[in-house]
Amino acid sequence: APGSGTGGDLAGRHVVVSAGGTREPLDPVRFLGNRSSGKQGYAVAADAARRGARVTLVSANVALAVPDGCEVVAVGTALELQQAVTAAVAAGDVDAVVMAAAVADFRPARYAEAKIKKSHGQGDESAPTIELVRNPDVLAGLVRDRGQHDRPYIVGFAAETGDGTGDVLDLARAKLARKGCDLLVANEVGTDKTFGEDTSTVHLLRPGTEETVTVGPVTKTAVAEAIWDTVVPQLP
Ligand code: CTP
Ligand code: CA
């Protein structure tokens, strides 16, 4: 039962965890998606339940068993995920939100009610251009809506590959400042790293301190434990 692990250091707490990756439909048979397996978010939810929390797991396109003690809300798109997370937080009793989901930054501007055909009326050799529009930033919205209140504690994730502008830690530090969340869990991603794997290496960054805790390579369960070990003492 939800929150059945009474006596843990999250007993009496309600946490919301988003996990998986959103899919943005183009037509009835196609979507824009990403490589998130949901394993890290599910591990975060499972560990919170073990520690005694009531857990609302907002799950986007994940093929994993529901962890013991978690209440799942299944979503497909970024807009659905935003709706589910904000509705859970609006209930007012949420102590922490962990945004582990890979939320699509963009969605197709238009949804085609009928399957898009190879010959789409502009000559047989042409290809269509897919116009995209921005999705809302769910995490930024949570920070904004919290205003001056100290609850809920908000955890963001950052999947970084590193690029010409900086390494993973530089990019993560900048993202933490931009997002305004209380903890940023940064991991290095690439086609051979993290996605779908059972282990990963993450850096835990908090505002107001240059100190960075690096965990791994360890199992995603151990990463989840390290996240809650960091969050629990900070909860108001
Ligand atoms: N996130 C979100 N809503 C979005 C995009 C991201 O809530 N529309 C959340 C993710 O769940 C994650 C955090 O923001 O916790 C960081 O996501 P990431 O994709 O790394 O950052 P972005 O701000 O989208 O920046 P970019 O993709 O350009 O690196
Ligand atoms: Ca993004």
Side-chain angles (χ1 to χ4, degrees), residues 18 78 81 98-106 135-142 155-160 175 178-179 181 184-185:
S18 72
L81 186 144
V98 180
M99 285 294 298
V103 184
D105 294 324
F106 314 105
N135 274 327
D137 188 322
V138 181
L139 179 65
L142 291 171
V155 180
F157 271 64
E160 303 288 359
K175 187 168 284 179
R178 206 161 57 236
K179 295 278 187 177
C181 56
L184 190 75
V185 181

